[in-house]
Amino acid sequence: RPVPRRPAPVQLVELPRIERGRLEPGRMRERRAILTRRIAEMRPDVVLVEHFPFAKWALRDEILAVLDAAQAPAYCSIREFPLAKDSPPFDEVAAELAHRFRGVLVHGDPRLAPFDLALPVETMHTGYVSEKPRTPRGEGAVVISVGGTGGERLTEVARAAWPEAEVFGSLGGPGPFVADFVDRLAGASLSISQAGYNTCTNILETRTPAVLAPHPLMPDQQVRARRFAELGLAQHVDAETVDVDGLHEAAARARAPRHDFDLDGARRTAALLSERHHA
């Protein structure tokens, strides 16, 4: 579904939307036709694909159609913990990488998230792709955010702990989806959230004290939350068992994260692609 976005110098191509995960053949053919037509018009110098082939294999046909239509060097863009619950066997990932891609851009800092997969193509760390706050908002509010699914219990407990808190969520979730979330986090005194990539990079960027309660079925969130806790960047609690007292205790221990991790991944990604295209 459409989400609020800040203005940016990009051109968005609207595709027929996949409803509730149903890959209806006619709709998928229409999506591929739109994509390949637009790619032929654009004639891109480089193609950057997020997740695939580490995940998103349900969209394999349209992704490969884009690569075929572009006839340009392709790179895979992944977060720092790439293997998700829907990842295929690693040998299939490796074969697809070797056949279709020039390299993999890992959007993390190896000091925080070591990457130990031996890939058949070049692996490049970019640093974290971190949105930058503009004008802090909220004046010390507690911010509760559950950008993905499965955060209903965490939201209920956090609301009971801080009735005055601002609550943000995904579309159709417990709170509104807002384009200026990082500004609100920058003005907050405490963040209560799952441990998704974007929220955790926001925490590193704004240095807001944080409590992480990762989704139990999201392996990357579980690993990320443990790693943040190990490095003293946030407090880690169990989303399925934590209660109001437990959240209050974790919040009392939370401190502004002190670090020097690389948060300039957007600029570095562009530079890496430019260097290889013009080499």
Side-chain angles (χ1 to χ4, degrees):
R1 287 174 285 177
V3 299
R5 298 178 186 273
R6 282 179 161 168
V10 296
Q11 186 178 35
L12 296 176
V13 177
E14 291 287 338
L15 299 177
R17 300 187 184 279
I18 298 170
E19 302 293 339
R20 301 184 184 279
R22 293 193 296 269
L23 306 182
E24 196 276 320
R27 185 175 295 262
M28 301 309 290
R29 285 194 298 271
E30 186 180 358
R31 287 167 60 97
R32 288 196 297 274
I34 293 171
L35 281 168
T36 54
R37 182 174 67 251
R38 293 304 301 270
I39 288 292
E41 294 168 355
M42 292 170 60
R43 301 182 64 183
D45 297 311
V46 175
V47 177
L48 186 65
V49 177
E50 186 178 25
H51 292 305
F52 183 83
F54 291 89
K56 306 296 184 186
W57 277 60
L59 302 178
R60 181 176 187 269
D61 289 349
E62 67 182 39
I63 292 169
L64 297 186
V66 166
L67 300 185
D68 289 339
Q71 296 185 339
Y75 292 84
C76 171
S77 169
I78 59 174
R79 297 169 185 183
E80 80 284 53
F81 300 111
L83 296 179
K85 63 180 183 298
D86 61 343
S87 295
F90 180 71
D91 58 347
E92 294 182 28
V93 174
E96 203 75 37
L97 283 172
H99 180 53
R100 293 283 186 170
F101 294 87
R102 296 277 186 90
V104 173
L105 296 158
V106 181
H107 300 309
D109 186 315
R111 295 172 297 166
L112 194 160
F115 186 86
D116 58 3
L117 294 178
L119 303 179
V121 294
E122 182 182 16
T123 302
M124 298 160 278
H125 276 89
T126 68
Y128 282 88
V129 177
S130 175
E131 187 179 8
K132 310 302 179 186
R134 299 179 184 181
T135 304
R137 300 180 57 184
E139 299 179 353
V142 174
V143 169
I144 303 166
S145 60
V146 284
T149 59
E152 293 80 7
R153 184 182 184 281
L154 174 62
T155 302
E156 181 181 348
V157 174
R159 273 177 158 162
W162 292 279
E164 74 288 356
E166 294 186 280
V167 180
F168 304 100
S170 57
L171 296 170
F177 190 111
V178 294
D180 62 348
F181 176 75
V182 69
D183 294 339
R184 298 169 188 262
L185 193 63
S189 62
L190 178 68
S191 169
I192 307 292
S193 72
Q194 297 174 307
Y197 180 92
N198 292 319
T199 303
C200 284
T201 58
N202 289 160
I203 289 166
L204 293 177
E205 186 69 54
T206 62
R207 300 178 186 267
T208 303
V211 177
L212 301 177
H215 192 298
L217 300 181
M218 299 297 288
D220 67 307
Q221 290 191 14
Q222 294 287 330
V223 176
R224 193 176 291 114
R226 288 197 299 268
R227 187 68 178 140
F228 268 57
E230 289 169 0
L231 297 175
L233 302 171
Q235 295 296 306
H236 177 201
V237 298
D238 187 325
E240 297 183 295
T241 61
V242 70
D243 56 15
V244 170
D245 289 341
L247 271 186
H248 277 150
E249 290 169 5
R253 296 191 300 269
R255 299 290 183 269
R258 300 176 62 184
H259 68 88
D260 63 348
F261 295 118
D262 184 357
L263 304 179
D264 201 20
R267 184 200 61 78
R268 181 63 177 152
T269 296
L272 286 167
L273 294 177
S274 181
E275 289 168 6
R276 278 147 185 77
H277 174 62
H278 294 295

